[in-house]
Amino acid sequence: MSYLISHIAHITNASAAIVTDTKIEHLLLDSRKIYSPATSLFFALKGVRRDGHQFIPELYKRGVRNFIISQNIDTGTYPEANFLLVKDSLAALQQLAAHHRQQFNIPVIGITGSNGKTIIKEWLYQLLQDDFTIVRSPKSYNSQIGVPLSVWQMNEHHTLAIFEAGISRPGEMEKLASIIQPTIGVLTSIGEAHSEGFAESEQKFLEKIKLFKNADWIYCHSKHDPHRKIKDLFKGVVVYCGTEPANDIQVLSIKKGKESTHISVRIKQPFKEPLQEYSFSFEIPFTDDASIDNALLCLGVVLSCQPWTSPDIASVVKKLDKLEPVEMRLELKKGINHCSIINDSYSADISSLEIALNFLDQQNAGDKKTVILSDFLQSSLTNDILYHQILDSLRKHKVSRVIGIGEKISASLQNLLLQPEEKLMIGVYASTEEFITHFLSSHFKEETILIKGARAFAFERIVQLLEQKAHQTVLEINLNAIAHNLKEYQTLLKPSTKVMAMVKAFAYGSGGAEIAGILQYHKVDYLGVAYADEGVELRKAGITLPIMVMNPEESAFETITENNLEPELYSFELLQSFDKFLQQEGLQQYPVHIEIETGMNRLGFGTGEIEKLSSFLRSTSSFKVQTVFSHLAASEEAGQDDFTLQQFQLFSKAAKELQDKLGYSFLSHISNSAAAIRHPQLQMDMIRLGIGLYGVDSSGSNKLNLQTVATLKSTIAQLKHLKKGESVSYNRKAVVEKDAVIATIRIGYADGYPRRLGNGVGKVWLHNTLAPVIGTVCMDMFMIDVTEIPGVQEGEDVIIFGSQLPVQLLAQWANTIPYEIMTGVSQRVKRIYFEE
């Protein structure tokens, strides 16, 4: 569903300067997440640290032409743009979402509470997806910004909506209620999370239930509303559940097994006289109390979506038994010194701490337990009571050491742990910066470390520290050369041809984030990586360009969507798996890339599968195809030109057929670095530049003045003076035939120097000449013969490859290709970046 920009101006009461009455389909708040610039409307929101107005120039350059602003700007600078001036951009966003919601007359479930909102939302989706076409909040989009974005997803195909609503201070819920306008309300619980904005629990309760003001049905545990205030305040039918006989859903018995719970209930029709009742039992594959409470609420909601006169109890019971767990945000990672790291660096409250500690227990296999905690900012408890509770939990879970970061937790822990009988080790730091300043990796060894902190403390920096790898030796990267090489290739391109820069394999060994940064600065259109982890590192480094992931693994789907990465889909199995994942996450029109197999015979849909592929893509709203592409197998070889052109013809036909069947356009690309030089007629909509950007012309044409980007250097550790007949390195394969001077170089095959270059095959550049390798290449070093090179000293630099000794020559000696040499440089080799 779309709106004309003039209509949006009317909805938001904006003062409009409209050049073209554009159709708007997407709402944009983050300049890093541009899917479709031509049909996107950017809301310039003002935050504590950032002002959205400052991103307008960048967004305009990237094709965005529609903006909602709350301050006057020089619109003449943006002659093609439409600007809507409002008093408050966030309020305008909420107004637009509320108007959009009013266009739909379908059941809408609104969920609020302190804990369990996302779980109940996902469980309701699992229980109801067979009967309804459901739109729901992605992840935990339940804030003043997240709710409008969630509601905006509604379209004419949906028959049910499920949205979360979270608040942190009085006055917020009225706004969310006007946007969600739920017909069915669910209250999960009232706990400590997000309590700092409220004077007391009662105030928070009364604020949260404002979501249900106009709901027809409201579901709540009786223990969270013991005085039936919801029933007194609102006109909707209120369904209470619990063990008391007066409840509409009465729990008769609960029997917990090892992996499941058997629950017997009596259901009363809450709106009929005389009451009709149903008694039955069901099982859920969970045993914790929170899951039992959540399942009871879900049961009631599902029944309200059926006719009460003849509910399909058997079907509901069957589905409850198959409920699947909802993934939490806890991440288990390998750390330094044989440690395991549990990353929960997103929140800090009592309830989620207990969940995290339970996870710690599950993952810990007898190792020591360390917990790193920040101040708990969202609690109405006094510090003494709060941190007493935290310490009790830590003791209960047999934690060995706690590290408190923040002024409040540091003060409380120091006071509480003055007792001489206390066995828990503690460390306290006033800030994350102080912890990082005093960090010693030797203090963390063979233990499981839970890292849990409020977002404000940026504990992801601590996570990175504990994962940090050691580096040695030096790979120098000339960023100017990257920019120069890009411009050289661009001289071959039509003005309309876009560029995707491949930064996979750590940017061919050169360092992904740094290379991506310079490419972004010089306005390439896309980046390509091999795996999701590489894309995540780019996002962490502030890279905002679209990023294609060429080898998306099913286990990385969540990482891909969380970081706005765009997967390549090359098989029906992968297509179906990602479609299922997106549906589970409530995501639609997610950007993807389709690979067509034309002769590489590695990955891709066959040219004969286009009909089946297009049929599947049309059957789901999960995807928006951004590009379709294929890989050339031998574009650098003149003897294979006929095959290259055959691939191009096959791909062109397949891409056109797919575009015709999908009914919308996408970018097509097949040309790589070599083809960009040798086959300029294959440019299509975009080319992919790989090793050419790094100064290697794989076509051997010498048509471009490419500069060397990477220089691998090491140093001489020691000089040895050998007598005739002495041997060098392992297995004594090198025996000097005369007195010789041998230099030991601080790099070996563990750093990426091939063993094949031993025994005189390889050479290094020293004192403007080539010095041969002597003996076998060792793991961490190799030796060279410097007998004929005067003046060599210990500590001097040697060039392994660079402008003086091209990597192509090194690859030739090793009987391989430059790709293997460059990508083989170990991550323990330190990268140094410079600009001239």
Side-chain angles (χ1 to χ4, degrees):
M1 189 170 180
S2 61
Y3 293 81
L4 291 174
I5 191 69
S6 59
H7 189 192
I8 293 176
H10 175 72
I11 294 168
T12 58
N13 300 311
S15 174
I18 297 176
V19 177
T20 304
D21 203 5
T22 310
K23 183 184 292 184
I24 299 300
E25 297 177 353
H26 306 284
L27 304 186
L28 180 63
L29 282 74
D30 189 335
S31 62
R32 296 168 297 181
K33 299 181 178 181
I34 302 176
Y35 291 160
S36 178
T39 58
S40 293
L41 172 61
F42 178 71
F43 287 78
L45 302 181
K46 292 185 177 181
V48 176
R49 296 184 179 179
R50 297 198 178 190
D51 183 345
H53 295 85
Q54 71 188 63
F55 297 102
I56 291 175
E58 174 192 343
L59 290 164
Y60 185 81
K61 288 180 180 179
R62 295 173 65 186
V64 178
R65 292 295 182 266
N66 299 281
F67 302 89
I68 283 190
I69 57 176
S70 60
Q71 66 185 43
N72 287 309
I73 65 171
D74 181 9
T75 57
T77 309
Y78 314 98
E80 299 176 2
N82 298 320
F83 287 96
L84 307 188
L85 179 62
V86 297
K87 290 183 179 180
D88 185 329
S89 297
L90 176 57
L93 171 67
Q94 295 171 341
Q95 281 178 279
L96 177 59
H99 174 87
H100 184 65
R101 163 65 182 91
Q102 290 171 356
Q103 311 312 303
F104 302 94
N105 185 25
I106 62 173
V108 175
I109 301 170
I111 307 169
T112 192
S114 298
N115 301 101
K117 295 185 292 293
T118 300
I119 292 174
I120 288 180
K121 178 196 68 184
E122 295 303 316
W123 281 5
L124 286 174
Y125 176 79
Q126 293 177 30
L127 294 167
L128 294 169
Q129 61 179 324
D130 293 338
D131 304 312
F132 296 89
T133 302
I134 302 174
V135 58
R136 70 195 194 281
S137 307
K139 294 293 184 182
S140 298
Y141 275 35
N142 57 34
S143 67
Q144 299 292 303
I145 293 174
V147 168
L149 295 180
S150 299
V151 170
W152 182 257
Q153 295 183 109
M154 297 178 74
N155 62 46
E156 61 275 12
H157 301 295
H158 296 125
T159 57
L160 177 69
I162 311 174
F163 300 124
E164 300 178 40
I167 60 172
S168 57
R169 59 181 58 88
E172 290 184 338
M173 188 58 84
E174 289 97 335
K175 297 175 183 177
L176 299 187
S178 69
I179 300 169
I180 297 174
Q181 302 165 41
T183 60
I184 300 171
V186 180
L187 179 67
T188 61
S189 65
I190 300 295
E192 287 298 319
H194 307 287
S195 293
E196 73 280 5
F198 302 95
E200 57 185 3
S201 295
E202 179 71 7
Q203 184 191 29
K204 182 164 72 169
F205 170 79
L206 292 174
E207 286 291 326
K208 283 185 177 290
I209 64 175
K210 289 179 181 179
L211 178 64
F212 311 138
K213 182 178 180 181
N214 296 309
D216 300 322
W217 291 81
I218 304 166
Y219 289 85
C220 175
H221 284 282
S222 57
K223 61 185 176 183
H224 298 311
D225 185 20
H227 303 296
R228 300 300 202 257
K229 289 185 178 181
I230 297 177
K231 203 164 192 174
D232 294 337
L233 290 171
F234 303 126
K235 62 181 181 181
V237 177
V238 184
V239 178
Y240 290 99
C241 60
T243 57
E244 296 85 356
N247 287 320
D248 305 290
I249 301 177
Q250 182 190 0
V251 178
L252 302 176
S253 67
I254 296 175
K255 297 179 181 178
K256 294 184 178 182
K258 187 175 182 180
E259 297 180 347
S260 62
T261 301
H262 183 91
I263 305 170
S264 295
V265 296
R266 178 185 293 121
I267 307 289
K268 303 173 186 178
Q269 288 186 342
F271 58 89
K272 289 207 174 205
E273 293 290 348
L275 290 177
Q276 296 185 30
E277 297 183 357
Y278 304 93
S279 295
F280 59 93
S281 299
F282 63 93
E283 286 200 4
I284 59 171
F286 304 93
T287 59
D288 59 289
D289 292 340
S291 292
I292 295 170
D293 287 348
N294 292 337
L296 290 170
L297 289 172
C298 289
L299 170 64
V301 174
V302 171
L303 290 177
S304 73
C305 294
Q306 297 185 350
W308 274 95
T309 53
S310 56
D312 187 356
I313 300 295
S315 173
V316 176
V317 168
K318 186 177 181 180
K319 290 179 179 179
L320 285 166
D321 187 42
K322 294 182 178 180
L323 284 175
E324 297 179 0
V326 178
E327 286 190 28
M328 306 302 289
R329 289 179 291 185
L330 296 168
E331 299 174 323
L332 180 65
K333 302 182 177 184
K334 292 182 179 179
I336 59 174
N337 301 330
H338 306 288
C339 292
S340 295
I341 301 168
I342 297 173
N343 178 16
D344 190 20
S345 56
Y346 311 103
S347 63
D349 61 83
I350 289 290
S351 300
S352 63
L353 174 62
E354 190 63 24
I355 294 171
L357 289 172
N358 286 330
F359 188 75
L360 175 64
D361 291 340
Q362 294 172 25
Q363 301 302 324
N364 182 267
D367 295 335
K368 296 181 294 183
K369 299 178 187 177
T370 290
V371 176
I372 301 176
L373 298 174
S374 76
D375 285 346
F376 278 43
L377 304 176
Q378 300 174 343
S379 177
S380 59
L381 300 174
T382 66
N383 286 341
D384 286 344
I385 295 174
L386 172 64
Y387 294 110
H388 265 299
Q389 289 186 8
I390 291 171
L391 276 176
D392 288 342
S393 292
L394 297 177
R395 296 186 189 104
K396 183 177 71 173
H397 290 274
K398 299 180 180 178
V399 171
S400 313
R401 174 173 57 160
V402 59
I403 296 173
I405 298 179
E407 294 179 357
K408 294 180 181 179
I409 193 171
S410 296
S412 296
L413 289 179
Q414 286 176 322
N415 292 334
L416 293 170
L417 292 175
L418 292 175
Q419 305 170 11
E421 67 275 11
E422 181 59 60
K423 297 181 181 180
L424 187 62
M425 297 175 58
I426 87 161
V428 293
Y429 300 88
S431 65
T432 305
E433 288 72 20
E434 184 180 340
F435 173 86
I436 291 173
T437 300
H438 293 89
F439 174 80
L440 291 174
S441 60
S442 58
H443 289 179
F444 299 89
K445 184 178 181 181
E446 296 178 348
E447 56 191 301
T448 304
I449 306 166
L450 168 62
I451 303 171
K452 184 168 182 60
R455 288 185 182 274
F457 285 82
F459 271 12
E460 63 269 17
R461 295 158 61 193
I462 296 176
V463 174
Q464 293 171 1
L465 202 62
L466 288 165
E467 292 181 297
Q468 193 172 9
K469 301 180 180 69
H471 299 287
Q472 51 188 334
T473 315
V474 174
L475 183 68
E476 291 184 348
I477 311 297
N478 184 344
L479 297 178
N480 295 99
I482 286 280
H484 169 85
N485 295 339
L486 173 63
K487 292 176 182 177
E488 284 290 297
Y489 276 98
Q490 287 173 330
T491 63
L492 304 175
L493 305 181
K494 296 176 292 186
S496 61
T497 303
K498 299 180 183 297
V499 173
M500 176 182 286
M502 307 308 297
V503 290
K504 60 182 181 176
F506 203 54
Y508 292 76
S510 299
E514 292 78 8
I515 299 299
I518 198 71
L519 292 169
Q520 177 171 271
Y521 181 80
H522 288 280
K523 304 300 181 183
V524 301
D525 302 283
Y526 256 98
L527 297 176
V529 298
Y531 294 99
D533 289 349
E534 296 174 320
V536 171
E537 290 305 312
L538 299 186
R539 289 289 185 242
K540 288 180 179 178
I543 301 302
T544 60
L545 286 172
I547 299 174
M548 180 177 75
V549 179
M550 303 190 73
N551 296 289
E553 299 168 311
E554 189 169 349
S555 60
F557 285 170
E558 183 174 8
T559 298
I560 286 172
T561 56
E562 283 183 345
N563 292 277
N564 192 33
L565 307 177
E566 304 178 8
E568 166 196 336
L569 303 178
Y570 52 79
S571 70
F572 286 105
E573 179 181 0
L574 185 60
L575 190 71
Q576 291 162 0
S577 296
F578 195 51
D579 180 45
K580 180 181 177 181
F581 172 81
L582 292 175
Q583 291 190 39
Q584 290 173 346
E585 297 299 300
L587 297 173
Q588 299 182 11
Q589 297 296 299
Y590 196 87
V592 297
H593 303 259
I594 303 296
E595 181 174 359
I596 305 297
E597 176 58 70
T598 59
M600 184 77 162
N601 288 317
R602 184 174 62 181
L603 296 173
F605 294 95
T607 54
E609 296 178 316
I610 300 302
E611 176 64 38
K612 181 180 177 182
L613 173 61
S614 62
S615 177
F616 186 94
L617 290 172
R618 290 195 307 269
S619 71
T620 176
S621 61
S622 297
F623 307 125
K624 177 66 181 295
V625 177
Q626 301 294 101
T627 80
V628 174
F629 70 100
S630 188
H631 278 286
L632 295 174
S635 60
E636 66 272 17
E637 297 184 20
Q640 298 292 338
D641 283 353
D642 288 344
F643 186 81
T644 296
L645 295 177
Q646 177 183 319
Q647 281 192 271
F648 174 67
Q649 291 166 1
L650 286 171
F651 174 68
S652 297
K653 181 181 178 181
K656 184 180 185 305
E657 181 183 354
L658 183 59
Q659 184 164 294
D660 290 344
K661 292 182 181 298
L662 290 183
Y664 62 85
S665 61
F666 47 69
L667 300 177
S668 299
H669 50 110
I670 193 171
S671 184
N672 54 17
S673 296
I677 298 174
R678 299 193 63 253
H679 301 284
Q681 74 275 24
L682 310 190
Q683 288 182 25
M684 304 189 81
D685 300 313
M686 183 162 65
I687 66 168
R688 302 188 302 273
L689 292 181
I691 200 165
L693 283 173
Y694 306 92
V696 178
D697 180 3
S698 58
S699 72
S701 68
N702 295 318
K703 289 183 178 179
L704 298 180
N705 178 28
L706 300 180
Q707 295 180 358
T708 299
V709 170
T711 300
L712 181 59
K713 290 182 176 181
S714 192
T715 58
I716 296 173
Q718 189 176 24
L719 291 173
K720 285 190 173 291
H721 297 266
L722 303 186
K723 297 295 184 182
K724 177 182 178 179
E726 290 189 275
S727 61
V728 180
S729 195
Y730 291 113
N731 307 119
R732 302 193 70 236
K733 289 187 177 181
V735 177
V736 296
E737 298 177 353
K738 60 179 181 179
D739 291 355
V741 182
I742 305 301
T744 301
I745 311 302
R746 292 185 173 97
I747 185 172
Y749 62 77
D751 302 292
Y753 193 79
R755 291 188 78 247
R756 299 186 295 276
L757 294 178
N759 299 304
V761 176
K763 301 175 180 62
V764 301
W765 188 259
L766 174 66
H767 285 206
N768 295 315
T769 190
L770 292 173
V773 176
I774 182 171
T776 303
V777 175
C778 308
M779 179 181 289
D780 305 304
M781 59 196 73
F782 65 82
M783 282 64 78
I784 58 173
D785 188 343
V786 296
T787 305
E788 304 300 327
I789 304 176
V792 175
Q793 298 180 15
E794 293 179 357
E796 282 194 272
D797 286 343
V798 296
I799 305 298
I800 309 302
F801 64 74
S803 57
Q804 304 94 332
L805 176 53
V807 68
Q808 297 95 313
L809 185 56
L810 198 71
Q812 182 181 326
W813 292 337
N815 194 28
T816 185
I817 57 177
Y819 296 82
E820 183 179 353
I821 298 296
M822 294 180 67
T823 60
V825 178
S826 169
Q827 294 302 298
R828 76 178 188 174
V829 174
K830 184 177 181 180
R831 270 69 174 173
I832 296 177
Y833 303 89
F834 67 93
E835 293 186 43
E836 298 172 345

